[in-house]
Amino acid sequence: MANLTWKGVYPALLTPFKQDDAVDFEVYQKNLFAQLDAGVDGIILGGSLGEASSLSNEEKRDLLLYSKEHIPKDFPVIINIAEQTTKAAIQLAQDSEKNGADGLMLLPPMRYYADSKETLEYFKAVAASTSLPIMIYNNPVDYKIHVTLDMFEAMVPYKNIQAVKESTRDISNVTRMINRFGDRFHILCGVDTLAMESLCMGADGWVAGLVDAFPQETVAVYRLVKAGMIDEALKIYRWFLPLLELDIHPKLVQYIKLAATHTGIGSTHVRAPRLPLEGEELKRVTAIIETALTNRPTLPDYLNLKHK
């Protein structure tokens, strides 16, 4: 099993499709290798950007097995758990562990608006069913369930619950978590438009979206911040922001797939009920991407920086 530190950049990878709706492993490999070359610290499969709701468990398994076959042995692969029932979540967790996953990203129960007790029991049941390290996904904006500080307190005894994908969109929550728990839970920003701010406030990592199209720039921002080179990071981040805002839209999958196509490491095919972009929307998003590419910054040698 890979050494999962919960530090660094973790792309929530896209799932490319062919025109016939099958997973396009050729395009997937191209993107995967671009992430590795850029210096990411792990990958997440079957997240929202991976169109998890349209993937079968067999397809998630195939992506996991394919990834493990094509990456270094010690490189972490994390599987997203976004299920409707506790039983299904436990089964997917156990299957993922059996198939070589190195960690799990765990969402609250899907479709049912669980209260705090129900959500906690769900998290605890999954954690007790596997030895894999777990990152809780805290996203009350999109999933309506807020994992509170008191709920994290109740999860402290579960040693394999080790991290949080912090997507509350409240930057102060990074400080609240650190003040309450110290380094008990690693904190990874899950909102691209708050990434640099979260890293400056002490977040350990970044579960990133636009990294699927711009892996080098994403890792550069992370490593520059951690090296204390704030001005250098800020210059890239200000250029990046119009692109990062594509991550906080209901059509983030279509937008980021379009961006990855423009950078040569993706395709635009999506699974219904999603539809391809068209008309004025396509023109608007294309203009954002093309403007960014025209003004793309020259990056420093970010792979050889030392953390402060």
Side-chain angles (χ1 to χ4, degrees):
M1 185 180 297
N3 180 28
L4 183 49
T5 64
W6 300 116
K7 294 181 179 180
V9 174
Y10 293 80
L13 288 185
L14 300 165
T15 303
F17 298 112
K18 300 178 181 178
Q19 283 187 317
D20 66 0
D21 222 29
V23 175
D24 191 333
F25 283 97
E26 183 178 346
V27 174
Y28 176 77
Q29 184 188 90
K30 183 182 293 188
N31 193 286
L32 176 63
F33 287 176
Q35 305 300 327
L36 293 171
D37 290 344
V40 303
D41 299 278
I43 57 172
I44 299 172
L45 302 178
S48 298
L49 275 173
E51 296 177 69
S53 61
S54 71
L55 293 177
S56 68
N57 282 353
E58 290 74 23
E59 287 172 322
K60 295 175 187 177
R61 177 203 62 207
D62 291 347
L63 283 164
L64 168 59
L65 295 174
Y66 184 90
S67 300
K68 298 299 285 188
E69 288 173 3
H70 288 82
I71 60 177
K73 196 171 184 179
D74 60 349
F75 189 80
V77 179
I78 299 163
I79 297 295
N80 183 51
I81 305 285
E83 303 300 319
Q84 299 177 52
T85 67
T86 303
K87 182 178 180 180
I90 288 172
Q91 187 65 58
L92 182 54
Q94 293 177 338
D95 289 346
S96 298
E97 182 168 9
K98 179 180 67 177
N99 289 321
D102 302 294
L104 304 172
M105 183 169 75
L106 181 57
L107 275 73
M110 303 300 289
R111 297 193 182 179
Y112 174 61
Y113 181 44
D115 65 20
S116 295
K117 180 179 179 181
E118 291 170 324
T119 302
L120 270 174
E121 290 303 312
Y122 176 86
F123 287 156
K124 291 176 180 179
V126 176
S129 75
T130 177
S131 66
L132 290 179
I134 293 171
M135 174 170 60
I136 299 296
Y137 190 175
N138 192 8
N139 187 345
V141 176
D142 292 321
Y143 301 119
K144 311 309 175 188
I145 294 175
H146 183 202
V147 187
T148 65
L149 295 183
D150 287 345
M151 292 168 72
F152 277 105
E153 186 75 51
M155 290 186 278
V156 166
Y158 291 79
K159 299 304 182 184
N160 61 331
I161 298 179
Q162 299 177 356
V164 57
K165 181 180 176 183
E166 165 52 45
S167 299
T168 63
R169 304 194 190 184
D170 179 358
I171 192 69
S172 297
N173 214 41
V174 174
T175 301
R176 292 188 189 101
M177 287 289 294
I178 294 171
N179 284 349
R180 179 89 170 251
F181 302 110
D183 61 0
R184 169 60 184 84
F185 297 105
H186 292 286
I187 302 168
L188 290 83
C189 176
V191 181
D192 274 4
T193 55
L194 293 175
M196 182 169 171
E197 294 86 342
S198 298
L199 294 169
C200 287
M201 296 308 296
D204 300 289
W206 180 359
V207 177
L210 265 297
V211 68
D212 287 318
F214 294 90
Q216 292 180 325
E217 288 83 356
T218 305
V219 178
V221 169
Y222 170 80
R223 297 208 181 186
L224 287 165
V225 170
K226 291 303 181 180
M229 300 172 67
I230 303 302
D231 288 344
E232 292 86 347
L234 188 57
K235 182 178 179 181
I236 301 168
Y237 192 60
R238 284 175 173 159
W239 162 85
F240 214 172
L241 188 60
L243 291 165
L244 298 177
E245 287 176 333
L246 300 177
D247 186 56
I248 52 172
H249 188 278
K251 291 188 181 179
L252 75 166
V253 172
Q254 289 96 317
Y255 290 178
I256 296 176
K257 280 193 165 183
L258 180 64
T261 303
H262 276 265
T263 58
I265 56 173
S267 68
T268 57
H269 300 305
V270 290
R271 266 190 181 163
R274 289 184 175 89
L275 295 174
L277 301 176
E278 59 184 11
E280 289 302 314
E281 185 176 31
L282 176 59
K283 291 179 182 178
R284 177 178 61 81
V285 178
T286 298
I288 292 169
I289 297 165
E290 289 180 342
T291 298
L293 288 171
T294 299
N295 301 301
R296 199 170 189 175
T298 301
L299 300 179
D301 183 15
Y302 66 88
L303 289 175
N304 292 306
L305 296 174
K306 301 290 186 182
H307 279 210
K308 288 190 90 175

